[in-house]
Amino acid sequence: MTVPHLTTALTGPLRELESRILAAQPHIEHWFRSQWHNHAVPFYGSVDLRNSGFKLAPVDMNLFPGGHNNLNPDFLPLAVQAAQSAVDRVCPEARNILVIPENHTRNSFYLQNVAALVHIFEQAGLKVRLGSLNPEITAPTQLTAANGAVITLEPLERRGNRLVLADGFSPCIVLLNNDLSGGIPDILKNLEQNLLPPLHGGWAVRRKSNHFAAYDKVADDFSSLISIDPWLINPYYSTATGLDFHTRQGEDELAAKVESVLARTRAKYREYGIDHEPYVIVKADAGTYGMGVMSVKTPEEVIGLNRKARNKMSVVKEGLEVSEVIVQEGVYTFESINEAVAEPVVYMMDRYVIGGFYRVHTGRGVDENLNAPGMHFVPLSFEKPCLPDRHAGPDAPPNRFYAYGVISRLALLAASLELEATDPDA
């Protein structure tokens, strides 16, 4: 498997950043351990990174990762060990786990992800069963994933304060692989079992702006630790609310926020002598699957959108209307695979990196969202399991991937702070 390459030489600030991360590895790992003593690590997550050659930053953090099938199978042992650690942390006596997948049973690639998750937990020594929220699943139903794997979905039942299956299967851990974009069903409320991630981590409640507010703090603390400018690992952002893309309500406020983020980014580009045109990504503050996203380089581009663009921006998954957006500094990606634009996605379980892949798109540019129809995936070809090679240069593949893992774990830590801050029971 070839290691994806940068289309530009890795020089300047990013090489400096990766060098500092490598040099500070013992301090960084000690710092992470101390953070996890104080904060509950999310059960699992994935982070979309962008590597511009002058900046390495997370642009999205998913608490319900749906691409475990795209991970390099050579590193299954990493995932199994992490799964054992995650389960042990929540319910040391657990023998069983109930996984609740998304309702879109016709997406055979998503079903492949579910099958991969089942395999990880079975290898970790657990009995795994799949309970569905889909009202169409009224009896045990076998479905076939894209790779031929067969999974069985069963209808969920509620008995008292516990989720069970028809035969009484009632484990202490219920794992959501369903992001609750369509709302929180009553059947999931007030359970005595460990429901992970918590309900307020779902898109019915969660906001990306809360995540990046938490990431601001994490990035500042980490940057002080290794003496770097936080901007090198953190995109600027702002939010706009009260929008109605159909009636064009809030356009002027949105344009002002776009200009504000562009101006701050321009100033940084001047400071670092970066000869590129800044851009921003405008995307729904709640939601996923690359819906409700646009890339703009001037504030005028969000004024008077045509009908197609308004329709695209106004609704995300499950038909959720968009009235709040995050306006995020765009981070160019200068990585490519066979001349197609690529961005790394890193997967974690418990506090461990378990692998990742490149999201690749032949039809998109270096300043565009790659989470779009036409994308494909290439597993990250770790030569060693995300461990740095201290005798090699900062751009050697193990060291590149170690840097990816560090920045991704910062986003995971931010997710932990975010969940603490937004916990309705806190």
Side-chain angles (χ1 to χ4, degrees), residues 203-220:
W203 287 121
V205 179
R206 190 178 180 223
R207 295 294 177 268
K208 294 175 185 179
S209 50
N210 288 335
H211 175 76
F212 283 100
Y215 186 77
D216 281 345
K217 180 184 186 311
V218 170
D220 286 350

Side-chain angles (χ1 to χ4, degrees), residues 17 20-21 24 27-28 221-228 233:
L17 170 64
R20 283 181 182 269
I21 288 174
H27 298 299
I28 289 170
D221 290 350
F222 179 79
S223 298
S224 296
L225 180 77
I226 66 168
S227 303
I228 59 166
I233 59 170

Side-chain angles (χ1 to χ4, degrees), residues 240-244 248-255:
T241 59
L243 297 172
D244 185 327
R248 296 181 169 163
Q249 176 183 318
E251 272 187 352
D252 291 338
E253 183 204 348
L254 177 57

Side-chain angles (χ1 to χ4, degrees), residues 66 69 101-118 130 142-147 149-151 153:
N69 52 304
E102 294 278 1
N103 286 352
H104 42 244
T105 54
R106 292 179 185 83
N107 183 334
S108 60
F109 292 103
Y110 173 71
L111 298 179
Q112 207 174 317
N113 155 74
V114 176
L117 264 180
V118 169
L130 303 172
Q142 287 196 333
L143 299 170
T144 304
N147 63 346
V150 176
I151 62 172
L153 294 185

Side-chain angles (χ1 to χ4, degrees), residues 94-353:
R95 296 180 182 180
N96 305 318
I97 187 168
L98 178 62
V99 179
I100 302 178
E102 294 278 1
N103 286 352
H104 42 244
T105 54
R106 292 179 185 83
N107 183 334
S108 60
F109 292 103
Y110 173 71
L111 298 179
Q112 207 174 317
N113 155 74
V114 176
L117 264 180
V118 169
H119 185 57
I120 289 168
F121 291 123
E122 286 179 342
Q123 292 290 307
L126 293 160
K127 171 76 174 172
V128 193
R129 287 170 71 180
L130 303 172
S132 179
L133 293 166
N134 189 338
E136 296 172 13
I137 303 293
T138 56
T141 304
Q142 287 196 333
L143 299 170
T144 304
N147 63 346
V150 176
I151 62 172
T152 302
L153 294 185
E154 302 179 63
L156 282 171
E157 296 180 18
R158 173 86 176 230
R159 295 181 192 167
N161 288 334
R162 297 186 73 84
L163 277 183
V164 302
L165 300 178
D167 61 0
F169 184 81
S170 175
C172 68
I173 297 178
V174 178
L175 181 66
L176 285 171
N177 197 242
N178 180 315
D179 64 23
L180 306 178
S181 289
I184 299 172
D186 288 340
I187 195 172
L188 298 182
K189 294 177 182 174
N190 303 312
L191 293 172
E192 62 185 44
Q193 291 147 300
N194 295 290
L195 180 68
L196 301 165
L199 292 178
H200 66 283
W203 287 121
V205 179
R206 190 178 180 223
R207 295 294 177 268
K208 294 175 185 179
S209 50
N210 288 335
H211 175 76
F212 283 100
Y215 186 77
D216 281 345
K217 180 184 186 311
V218 170
D220 286 350
D221 290 350
F222 179 79
S223 298
S224 296
L225 180 77
I226 66 168
S227 303
I228 59 166
D229 178 353
W231 177 76
L232 294 174
I233 59 170
N234 191 5
Y236 289 136
Y237 75 96
S238 187
T239 57
T241 59
L243 297 172
D244 185 327
F245 283 97
H246 289 303
T247 65
R248 296 181 169 163
Q249 176 183 318
E251 272 187 352
D252 291 338
E253 183 204 348
L254 177 57
K257 296 294 177 68
V258 168
E259 177 50 41
S260 167
V261 174
L262 284 172
R264 294 171 71 195
T265 308
R266 254 184 236 113
K268 278 293 180 186
Y269 279 24
R270 282 195 298 272
E271 180 184 335
Y272 283 97
I274 294 162
D275 187 23
H276 293 289
E277 186 180 0
Y279 71 102
V280 301
I281 296 290
V282 179
K283 55 189 171 184
D285 204 8
T288 182
Y289 285 88
M291 301 171 76
V293 181
M294 63 190 294
S295 172
V296 300
K297 291 184 174 175
T298 68
E300 290 75 25
E301 289 177 63
V302 299
I303 301 286
L305 293 174
N306 63 33
R307 179 177 293 180
K308 182 180 176 185
R310 293 204 309 274
N311 287 342
K312 178 187 164 195
M313 288 302 297
S314 63
V315 178
V316 290
K317 187 183 165 207
E318 304 280 0
L320 217 60
E321 289 281 338
V322 176
S323 62
E324 307 165 27
V325 298
I326 182 168
V327 179
Q328 187 180 63
E329 172 195 341
V331 181
Y332 283 93
T333 179
F334 289 149
E335 291 190 282
S336 67
I337 297 176
N338 300 330
E339 299 181 6
V341 177
E343 66 185 9
V345 184
V346 174
Y347 271 54
M348 292 158 292
M349 192 172 285
D350 197 63
R351 57 187 183 173
Y352 305 106
V353 173

Side-chain angles (χ1 to χ4, degrees), residues 344-415:
V345 184
V346 174
Y347 271 54
M348 292 158 292
M349 192 172 285
D350 197 63
R351 57 187 183 173
Y352 305 106
V353 173
I354 62 169
F357 51 84
Y358 276 92
R359 181 183 287 124
V360 185
H361 205 303
T362 55
R364 291 284 171 114
V366 295
D367 59 352
E368 292 184 286
N369 168 45
L370 303 188
N371 189 357
M375 62 185 167
H376 66 277
F377 306 100
V378 177
L380 285 182
S381 44
F382 294 106
E383 294 181 4
K384 297 176 183 173
C386 220
L387 299 174
D389 179 352
R390 299 182 66 106
H391 302 293
D395 52 353
N399 296 338
R400 169 91 51 77
F401 296 143
Y402 177 69
Y404 287 172
V406 168
I407 303 303
S408 298
R409 285 183 288 158
L410 294 179
L412 188 72
L413 177 57

